[in-house]
Amino acid sequence: MKLTKHGHACVRIVHGDRTLVIDPGAFGERDAAAGADALLVTHEHPDHFDEGRLRSAMEADPAVELWAPRAVSEVMSTAFPGRAHAVGDGDTLTAAGFPVEVHGELHAVIHPDLPRVANVGFLVEDPEGGAGTVFHPGDALTVPEREVETLLLPVHAPWNKFSEVVEYVREVGPRRAVAVHDGLLGPAGHTVYGRNMGPAGPGLGAAEYLRLEPGDSLALA
């Protein structure tokens, strides 16, 4: 499998001729969902869910399907009946040939006065088993309670702080943690996070920390 980082929280996972795209939101490239065989969206916030990007991908290929919490699937199902599926914690599915498990229920708390929306994490497996699993938690620090090879780590958000992020990596215990949800950071912020996530910081257990620039790819093995 190959993982490509797009803007902010969006990633593309490719295996052979099959492509899965997660969270092509408004902070990323306009064509981030183009060419996808299947789409996953963790929750309804616009930095993860952009209706126009999803519509473009689903209009371009009538075989493309979408899995997301109900608030997202209901918006898309009007235009694409039978192709937008609501999912929740504990569900399993196959998207573009990738086995996928759904973990989690709610977005992390931003502030007690703000309502929490539904948020799910997607654990994507290598169809052939060789590259292990990739977990995208969306906007929550959900622990899937099973082995995770590659954790897509939300490093910076209004709802988290550095100590929580570090403890989250330690608890999940992945082989590697790849930075996502970093669209609000500038160059100085990326430098600070990279230093603190690396050897100069408190340590992430056995996990390697990686940050990919948008468009960069990583072979998962």
Side-chain angles (χ1 to χ4, degrees), residues 162-180:
F162 178 74
S163 61
E164 295 172 334
V165 173
V166 169
E167 292 304 317
Y168 178 55
V169 178
R170 292 175 176 178
E171 186 172 3
V172 175
R175 174 181 171 186
R176 62 175 71 90
V178 178
V180 295

Side-chain angles (χ1 to χ4, degrees), residues 5-50:
K5 171 72 165 26
H6 289 285
H8 194 51
C10 180
V11 298
R12 176 179 295 253
I13 302 173
V14 176
H15 181 277
D17 62 351
R18 309 299 290 170
T19 298
L20 178 66
V21 174
I22 307 175
D23 280 2
F27 289 5
E29 305 89 335
R30 295 200 62 82
D31 62 349
D37 297 297
L39 299 160
L40 305 178
V41 174
T42 61
H43 66 286
E44 65 195 79
H45 288 164
D47 55 327
H48 297 255
F49 165 49
D50 184 282

Side-chain angles (χ1 to χ4, degrees), residues 20 31 75 79 81 102 107 141 151:
L20 178 66
D31 62 349
V75 170
V102 183
H107 192 288
L141 301 180
L151 174 64

Side-chain angles (χ1 to χ4, degrees), residues 7 34 61 63 75 80 90-91 105 121 125 134 154 157 164 170 174 178-179 204-205:
D61 183 350
V75 170
F80 305 99
D91 288 342
E105 298 181 19
E125 297 189 62
V134 177
E164 295 172 334
R170 292 175 176 178
V178 178
L204 302 178

